[in-house]
Amino acid sequence: GTRTLLRLLKNKNIKIILCSSTNNKNLVMCFLKKKKISRFFSNCYFMKNVGLNIKNSSESNRIKIKNRLLQKILKNESTQPNEIIFIGNSKEDLYASENTGINFIYLQNNYLPRIYTNKKLIKINDIMLVHKKLRKF
């Protein structure tokens, strides 16, 4: 359903930006091309785009990377935090969105530990539910 959602968002002229804490930009770009979804993204940001070259194996480094990525997106896209919705699947994503004041939708999955927090999160477990949750913003 990812391709369907990406097409829907693009048809509504909603910018879709990918940001990744990986150092291997080529791997991600090859994946997007192989899945035939690279055309849906208006831009992609990676660790090297923010001048970092640190290991992303520690939680604190991933938060640092994601904070910098989100700040770079805000600057380069000339937008305000309240104009962005960050869809993420980790507590590092949540922390980075909180640090930058960006709205967050939590995509629960089976391959990362669940986020448990006292804060009220907008949660989805199916990517196709994103368009329904967007109405809350």
Side-chain angles (χ1 to χ4, degrees):
T2 301
R3 187 177 290 111
T4 303
L5 175 64
L6 292 171
R7 186 177 300 111
L8 172 74
L9 294 172
K10 186 162 182 150
N11 288 343
K12 292 185 176 212
N13 292 319
I14 296 173
K15 277 187 178 181
I16 307 166
I17 299 171
L18 180 133
C19 74
S20 175
S21 61
T22 185
N23 215 2
N24 193 342
K25 177 180 178 178
N26 289 336
L27 179 71
V28 174
M29 297 310 290
C30 286
F31 173 82
L32 296 177
K33 287 176 185 168
K34 181 179 179 186
K35 297 296 181 181
K36 299 180 180 167
I37 58 174
S38 61
R39 63 190 156 99
F40 295 111
F41 295 91
S42 61
N43 214 333
C44 297
Y45 291 83
F46 296 91
M47 186 187 330
K48 289 183 179 178
N49 294 119
V50 293
L52 291 175
N53 190 14
I54 57 178
K55 293 186 185 266
N56 66 356
S57 55
S58 77
E59 179 181 310
S60 62
N61 280 354
R62 286 191 301 274
I63 293 169
K64 181 178 183 176
I65 294 164
K66 291 176 185 207
N67 280 338
R68 294 271 292 271
L69 286 167
L70 293 176
Q71 290 167 355
K72 181 82 164 182
I73 290 168
L74 289 170
K75 181 180 177 190
N76 286 5
E77 302 295 325
S78 299
T79 190
Q80 298 299 312
N82 66 339
E83 298 173 322
I84 294 177
I85 299 171
F86 181 22
I87 301 169
N89 62 355
S90 70
K91 61 183 174 181
E92 294 92 336
D93 294 336
L94 172 62
Y95 297 154
S97 70
E98 289 175 342
N99 291 340
T100 54
I102 292 174
N103 298 307
F104 184 73
I105 294 178
Y106 173 44
L107 175 60
Q108 295 176 335
N109 56 42
N110 294 325
Y111 61 91
L112 286 178
R114 291 204 176 214
I115 296 175
Y116 296 100
T117 179
N118 293 332
K119 298 175 185 184
K120 187 167 178 133
L121 289 179
I122 296 175
K123 300 176 188 176
I124 58 172
N125 56 10
D126 179 350
I127 195 71
M128 287 307 297
L129 296 174
V130 168
H131 68 283
K132 291 179 183 176
K133 297 295 181 180
L134 290 176
R135 291 185 213 146
K136 292 189 176 199
F137 294 101

